[in-house]
Amino acid sequence: MHLFKELFIMEKTTGNFRLSLENVKEATQLIDPIFQNSPQFISVTLSELLNLTLVVKLETSNPVRCFKGRGAEVFVAKASADTHFICASAGNFGLAMAFSCRKSKLRLTVYVSKNANPFKLYSMKSYGAEVIEFGDDFDSAKLEAKRKSKELNATFIEDSQNIESLEGAATIGLELLKIPNKIDTILIALGNGALLNGIARVIKYYSPDTKIIAIQAKGASAMVDSWRSSSIVNYETSNTIADRIAVRLPIPQALKDMTGLVDDALLVDDKNIIKAMQLIYKHVGIVSEPSGAVGIAAILENPTYFKNQTVATVICGGNLTKEQIKLWLTG
């Protein structure tokens, strides 16, 4: 039997989780308040349009305009003063790490693909990070970052592999529990897995009847395909506008973390992602990245699945270039 499948079955049976709820609570003391207690509310007009009660949580109203600041704060809070961090990023994680490292005067090198969002590159550099462009996608940049960190004896951190990223994301789950309505289903974007697994760990402990559904784009389905088959599925390429969750090479640990926490997974196409972004812009009044809109895209593609439920989704990032805003939202 494949090693991963053995671990999958074992963890499904035992219900063991590596993310400690005590560490999640500790994370709330380590994270800058500017990243915590983000707005969350029922969008009345979207609820009426989609035939359900929709709770939106906005992780875009902070200095890095994404949820990644939470995990970055935990990484930096636990680091020694002489730490040299190296990471790879599709944009948001590197931006968040740059913000937190600047505050603590820590050295940071971020590897990004040659196709990375130029606005995010500019922001990372403005916060003092060294930014190195390598390869055609995130996974290529990550492999080079790992190699270089060994060469330099630096501290390589990997979003979703390192537990700190889950600890930060899990604080979102604690905040969602404060919603007065009982949430039937939470739709969460699935990239490397930190957002999904962090939130799911907290929600399933305190509200086990709430369904957790992972959402990926149809053009980058490696994580969902791996989870469904209980084995690692790698792809040579990805093809989606949701580049922040366009994972080709799944992290085995992230898939193990999903075991016992995720009830279902859905794939959405780019056309509905764009439509969802436009709905968020019109009804909520904010700019969402494609990855932040996949939850609403899933509702658009599966209206009967969620009809009359109370559904929550996290708008997990809002970093777009002005060209993207014109192309997808205002053009």
Side-chain angles (χ1 to χ4, degrees):
M1 182 180 289
H2 192 283
L3 176 60
F4 175 73
K5 185 166 285 190
E6 290 179 344
L7 291 169
F8 180 94
I9 294 172
M10 179 181 71
E11 293 191 12
K12 189 171 184 178
T13 302
T14 61
N16 292 327
F17 302 103
R18 68 176 180 130
L19 178 56
S20 160
L21 293 173
E22 288 302 313
N23 285 1
V24 175
K25 294 175 183 177
E26 179 187 352
T28 64
Q29 306 302 312
L30 302 177
I31 299 170
D32 190 323
I34 202 166
F35 292 110
Q36 299 194 63
N37 297 305
S38 56
Q40 53 187 30
F41 54 87
I42 293 172
S43 171
V44 174
T45 55
L46 269 179
S47 295
E48 291 179 353
L49 180 67
L50 299 173
N51 294 311
L52 44 71
T53 300
L54 182 69
V55 176
V56 290
K57 185 162 185 61
L58 310 183
E59 287 293 305
T60 60
S61 55
N62 61 60
V64 297
R65 291 194 264 185
C66 66
F67 81 96
K68 299 286 189 182
R70 297 179 186 247
E73 290 285 290
V74 180
F75 277 115
V76 169
K78 295 182 178 182
S80 60
D82 61 347
T83 299
H84 173 199
F85 282 125
I86 293 181
C87 69
S89 176
N92 284 346
F93 182 58
L95 179 55
M97 284 298 301
F99 177 87
S100 296
C101 285
R102 177 190 174 103
K103 289 194 304 176
S104 298
K105 298 181 173 57
L106 295 180
R107 184 182 174 190
L108 172 69
T109 303
V110 183
Y111 281 77
V112 301
S113 77
K114 295 176 182 178
N115 302 313
N117 182 317
F119 173 71
K120 294 183 182 181
L121 300 187
Y122 169 79
S123 299
M124 280 186 265
K125 293 174 183 177
S126 296
Y127 284 131
E130 178 187 9
V131 179
I132 298 176
E133 298 181 41
F134 185 92
D136 294 327
D137 59 20
F138 164 74
D139 285 306
S140 298
K142 183 169 71 172
L143 291 173
E144 177 63 12
K146 283 183 177 181
R147 186 197 69 78
K148 194 64 176 179
S149 66
K150 290 180 180 179
E151 179 183 309
L152 298 177
N153 196 28
T155 301
F156 177 73
I157 52 173
E158 186 171 5
D159 194 21
S160 297
Q161 176 68 40
N162 292 88
I163 197 66
E164 291 87 348
S165 56
L166 277 73
E167 291 169 352
T171 61
I172 297 173
L174 293 177
E175 294 168 17
L176 283 169
L177 290 167
K178 299 175 184 177
I179 292 286
N181 304 58
K182 183 186 184 302
I183 299 175
D184 298 306
T185 301
I186 304 179
L187 305 175
I188 308 172
L190 174 58
N192 276 320
L195 180 66
L196 174 74
N197 289 320
I199 294 174
R201 174 72 172 101
V202 170
I203 296 298
K204 281 299 186 181
Y205 182 83
Y206 290 105
S207 182
D209 292 336
T210 298
K211 290 182 68 175
I212 301 293
I213 301 183
I215 314 296
Q216 270 199 307
K218 291 177 181 175
S221 62
M223 286 289 287
V224 166
D225 293 343
S226 296
W227 177 74
R228 286 175 173 169
S229 65
S230 301
S231 59
I232 302 296
V233 178
N234 295 324
Y235 290 113
E236 292 294 325
T237 60
S238 60
N239 182 24
T240 176
I241 62 169
D243 55 345
R244 308 305 164 234
I245 56 172
V247 175
R248 293 190 296 104
L249 309 175
I251 299 172
Q253 180 62 60
L255 290 160
K256 287 186 284 183
D257 289 338
M258 292 171 66
T259 306
L261 296 178
V262 178
D263 297 287
D264 200 356
L266 297 172
L267 298 173
V268 295
D269 62 36
D270 282 5
K271 179 180 178 180
N272 279 312
I273 293 174
I274 293 172
K275 185 175 180 180
M277 292 168 64
Q278 293 169 347
L279 289 174
I280 293 167
Y281 185 66
K282 178 180 179 180
H283 291 266
V284 185
I286 65 163
V287 169
S288 170
E289 295 175 9
S291 59
V294 294
I296 292 177
I299 298 171
L300 293 173
E301 290 197 23
N302 304 273
T304 58
Y305 192 136
F306 304 106
K307 186 176 180 180
N308 297 326
Q309 293 187 38
T310 296
V311 179
T313 192
V314 180
I315 313 301
C316 55
N319 288 302
L320 296 180
T321 65
K322 65 179 182 180
E323 291 79 13
Q324 289 171 330
I325 291 173
K326 182 177 181 181
L327 177 64
W328 293 327
L329 301 180
T330 64

